Amino acid sequence: MIEFSTPAAPERPDLRNVSDLLASRAAAAPDHVAFQLPDGGAWRDVTTREFEDTVIAVAKGMVATGVEPGDTVAVMAPTRYEWAVADFASAYAGAVVVPLYPTSSVSQAAAIIADSQPVLAVAGEESHADLLRAACAEGCVGALPIWTMDPTPGADLAALIARGAEVADSVIAERRAMAGPDDVATIVYTSGTTRAAKGVLVTHGNLVRESLAVLHAYPEVVHERANTVIFLPLSHILARALQMLSVQAGMRVAHLSDPTQVVATLAEIRPTFLVVVPRVLQKIQGGAKAKAEEKHLGKVFDAAIATAISWGRHQEEVDRRGAGAARPSLGLRLRHALFDRLFYAKLRTLTGGRLEWMLSGAAPLEEHLSLFFRGLGLPVVEGYGLTETTAPCTGNLPGRIRSGTVGPPVPGTTIRISDDGEVLVKGIGVTPGYRNPTDNDDAFVDGFFRTGDLGSLDEDGYLTLSGRVKDIIVTASGKNVVPAPWENAVEADPMVAYAVMVGEGKPFPAALILMARDEVAAWAERHGHPALAALARDPLAKNVEDPNILAQVGAVVARANQAVSRAEQVRKFKVLLTDLKEESGHFTPTMKLKRTAFLHDFADTIEELYRATPVGKGKA
């Protein structure tokens, strides 16, 4: 076995639980702006003191309605300021938070409610409250008091605050101090890419120590002069941990519930730091290329991409060798200066003009995409983590980024690679276990959490991921194939949403290529293929046999095949259209593909790939 550890960050004995993150900051800098709220077309500042006052008022309301220490409180809402209020208010009241995605089905919500047994719920709007009521009925749970974030006479947060008007400050102070590091702060139900959701127990110590570790490791990124926009779902541990970290560090936060408004919001808020998923970066690059093609500058932009990647590689060489790194060639310097005027500066302006760092997580980031953004002046810090590790357990570091890796362990964490190549984690963020004890079977080994991911460590402790243990395909000839490297190479194309390699027990690997409708339609219009554009916009259309798009995808598949061994190359593929909606049942709320469900539903399509008759021209 191979393992690597990073020493823990200094302890803060005064930070025993999540509420201490806010209380200590409010005491140290009460007038510092903690949040920005949309207000009539503008953004209104909220100080740390104002935020804590609201949190305490809501916590009093929770206590007045009967919430006891250790009770669970459900929160179902899109990402918004009031989510932060409900989260911290629950901690101040001594309660345990159970987040539910607002896109959940009634059955999904019912299972979580039946398992977690909340005594109170906070919903974003009345439609979310209705969904929670239906879930309670389906889960045979009694009537649940539900308070909405949107104004609802007698049943919103203002009404809840009014209920707690007579609760003394001393009661909240006492409640707030009850929880210790080993007590459960939140139960986060996994999104279930391969099985039913499991309730992950995340302690106050997990969240507090994770916050301290990130502050210790990333002082250039997270500080009180920094600001960010959170648009990832707060029901996910990554965005929620970021929010708690921001409060404790004094980093100003603006929330955005509609991700389609990100670009416009960046120009207004001008963040210094963003947490993104790879798909966002792919869309930025793809959108820039599409605009260049509209101006007949597609080949010029391709050259700009290649130059940015070369510049990014040089920057990483400087990171490693410092003054010993060779100076970039005159040609590279001239090309970079030219493309900076033509493209790079405009892309930096698109993000607000102040963005210094981006953190990418939740899915693998292609090496070339990381290098591209590094080369144009927007470095991406890729990290890795799971709900069970309280968000990041590894992360690249400013000034020490190695594209293609997810970095070394965060402070206080050990990464071990088992003899079978599985990534194992032990440390500050690792859950003590699942709510259902039977879910802990085989989840841990020698005190390490089994991630189910395959990976390797280099001599400096940088982790490189190579796929999922359960995704390994064994072909009819007995060859073990890890799909992830090939799939990631194909998914690097902006039009490709997901690439799914198949071939278990078959003579060779094949693939289903899922194309994003909007990107296909836009590409078809730019290249003069109206029939394909109309097909992409038809919500009933699933299969694509248009020769133009098959040729385009075929070139992408051929490039991916060149990067893997002969036994791992895809010989046939099928192109499908997808709406990228969670409601399809194939995607998690963070847009990860539910591979098992997808393969089940498309079993007939997969079988077609192995029949004698070729599928369109989808042969590689």
Side-chain angles (χ1 to χ4, degrees):
M1 294 185 185
I2 301 171
E3 68 178 48
F4 193 93
S5 301
T6 301
E11 289 280 349
R12 284 275 304 272
D14 58 314
L15 302 180
R16 299 181 63 253
N17 61 44
V18 166
S19 73
D20 288 332
L21 297 176
L22 172 56
S24 63
R25 181 64 188 173
D31 298 324
H32 186 81
V33 176
F35 294 95
Q36 289 181 283
L37 299 185
D39 185 10
W43 293 85
R44 177 172 62 85
D45 293 342
V46 177
T47 67
T48 309
R49 173 58 67 201
E50 289 174 316
F51 176 62
E52 190 189 34
D53 286 346
T54 303
V55 164
I56 291 173
V58 173
K60 288 181 177 181
M62 291 179 175
V63 171
T65 59
V67 174
E68 297 290 341
D71 282 347
T72 52
V73 170
V75 181
M76 172 184 274
T79 296
R80 54 190 288 180
Y81 169 74
E82 292 82 4
W83 218 118
V85 170
D87 198 9
F88 277 97
S90 299
Y92 271 60
V96 176
V97 176
V98 177
L100 291 95
Y101 286 97
T103 53
S104 299
S105 67
V106 171
S107 295
Q108 289 171 329
I112 291 174
I113 288 174
D115 187 65
S116 61
Q117 296 290 310
V119 301
L120 179 146
V122 179
E125 58 187 41
E126 190 58 33
S127 65
H128 302 131
D130 288 341
L131 193 154
L132 287 171
R133 293 185 190 101
C136 288
E138 182 172 312
C140 299
V141 176
L144 180 66
I146 302 173
W147 308 83
T148 61
M149 299 174 184
D150 280 359
T152 303
D156 55 16
L157 290 183
L160 182 60
I161 289 173
R163 289 281 294 271
E166 302 302 319
V167 176
D169 290 346
S170 58
V171 173
I172 301 303
E174 180 181 356
R175 286 284 192 94
R176 191 181 74 72
M178 286 182 176
D182 295 332
D183 291 313
V184 175
T186 182
I187 305 171
V188 182
Y189 287 80
T190 59
S191 50
T193 56
T194 59
R195 63 177 68 182
K198 297 182 291 186
V200 182
L201 305 178
V202 179
T203 67
H204 285 275
N206 288 146
L207 289 162
V208 169
R209 290 175 185 135
E210 191 78 20
S211 178
L212 292 175
V214 174
L215 278 173
H216 180 73
Y218 299 91
E220 312 95 323
V221 180
V222 184
H223 50 80
E224 64 179 13
R225 298 177 306 283
N227 70 303
T228 190
V229 178
I230 296 179
F231 55 88
L232 298 179
L234 281 169
S235 302
H236 191 276
I237 194 66
L238 175 59
R240 196 141 151 251
L242 169 64
Q243 180 167 264
M244 293 180 182
L245 165 67
S246 299
V247 167
Q248 203 261 322
M251 183 163 65
R252 178 164 36 94
V253 173
H255 295 96
L256 189 62
S257 59
D258 182 1
T260 64
Q261 299 301 311
V262 169
V263 174
T265 303
L266 296 183
E268 298 173 358
I269 297 298
R270 304 185 67 215
T272 61
F273 170 65
L274 277 181
V275 173
V276 299
V277 293
R279 187 65 183 162
V280 171
L281 301 179
Q282 290 170 351
K283 289 179 73 68
I284 291 173
Q285 185 192 68
K289 182 174 181 178
K291 288 184 178 180
E293 289 179 345
E294 289 174 0
K295 299 176 182 178
H296 305 289
L297 295 173
K299 291 184 178 180
V300 178
F301 190 77
D302 287 341
I305 291 176
T307 297
I309 290 173
S310 296
W311 194 266
R313 289 192 191 280
H314 175 264
Q315 294 298 104
E316 291 197 2
E317 183 66 16
V318 172
D319 287 351
R320 295 193 190 200
R321 303 184 60 185
R327 192 181 184 198
S329 68
L330 175 61
L332 179 58
R333 296 201 305 272
L334 291 174
R335 291 196 303 275
H336 189 271
L338 171 64
F339 292 135
D340 191 73
R341 290 194 295 271
L342 286 176
F343 301 114
Y344 305 157
K346 294 176 182 177
L347 285 172
R348 293 195 299 271
T349 300
L350 191 69
T351 63
R354 296 177 66 239
L355 193 61
E356 298 172 348
W357 304 97
M358 290 187 286
L359 170 68
S360 177
L365 175 67
E366 299 88 353
E367 180 181 6
H368 79 90
L369 199 60
S370 174
L371 290 168
F372 168 75
F373 279 93
R374 178 76 184 270
L376 63 85
L378 296 173
V380 181
V381 176
E382 186 177 8
Y384 162 71
L386 305 91
T387 303
E388 290 88 345
T389 64
T390 317
C393 58
T394 74
N396 276 279
L397 299 165
R400 286 181 281 167
I401 295 173
R402 296 186 187 178
S403 296
T405 81
V406 291
V410 300
T413 303
T414 299
I415 300 295
R416 173 185 287 182
I417 307 299
S418 75
D419 292 338
D420 296 328
E422 183 178 5
V423 179
L424 311 176
V425 187
K426 180 169 67 175
I428 57 167
V430 174
T431 175
Y434 296 100
R435 179 172 172 83
N436 184 344
T438 60
D439 288 332
N440 292 320
D441 296 343
D442 299 325
F444 296 87
V445 57
D446 296 333
F448 283 79
F449 174 71
R450 300 182 60 186
T451 66
D453 289 308
L454 297 168
S456 60
L457 289 167
D458 68 14
E459 66 278 6
D460 296 318
Y462 281 66
L463 176 65
T464 299
L465 300 174
S466 55
R468 293 284 295 169
V469 173
K470 294 183 178 180
D471 290 346
I472 293 177
I473 294 169
V474 182
T475 63
S477 61
K479 174 66 177 178
N480 286 1
V481 177
V482 178
W486 185 91
E487 291 173 344
N488 293 341
V490 175
E491 289 172 3
D493 187 277
M495 278 199 300
V496 177
Y498 298 93
V500 184
M501 183 187 285
V502 297
E504 182 69 27
K506 301 297 184 182
F508 56 82
L512 300 180
I513 312 294
L514 281 68
M515 313 292 286
R517 291 183 184 276
D518 291 343
E519 277 81 354
V520 171
W523 182 89
E525 289 176 346
R526 290 197 307 272
H527 292 84
H529 305 305
L532 176 59
L535 177 73
R537 291 199 169 91
D538 181 356
L540 299 179
K542 298 294 182 185
N543 298 326
V544 180
E545 297 184 359
D546 183 281
N548 300 293
I549 202 67
L550 290 179
Q552 182 77 6
V553 175
V556 174
V557 169
R559 287 196 297 271
N561 279 346
Q562 292 174 2
V564 297
S565 70
R566 173 64 180 168
E568 297 169 312
Q569 292 177 359
V570 163
R571 303 188 195 179
K572 295 177 69 176
F573 63 87
K574 179 82 171 174
V575 178
L576 305 172
L577 291 169
T578 180
D579 292 313
L580 298 180
K581 292 180 179 179
E582 185 187 355
E583 291 81 358
S584 70
H586 297 144
F587 307 104
T588 71
T590 53
M591 298 314 298
K592 293 178 183 177
L593 182 71
K594 294 183 178 180
R595 192 181 186 94
T596 301
F598 175 80
L599 293 179
H600 176 271
D601 290 348
F602 283 84
D604 291 342
T605 303
I606 294 169
E607 285 302 315
E608 289 180 19
L609 287 167
Y610 292 97
R611 292 175 187 158
T613 304
V615 180
K617 294 185 179 180
K619 299 178 74 177

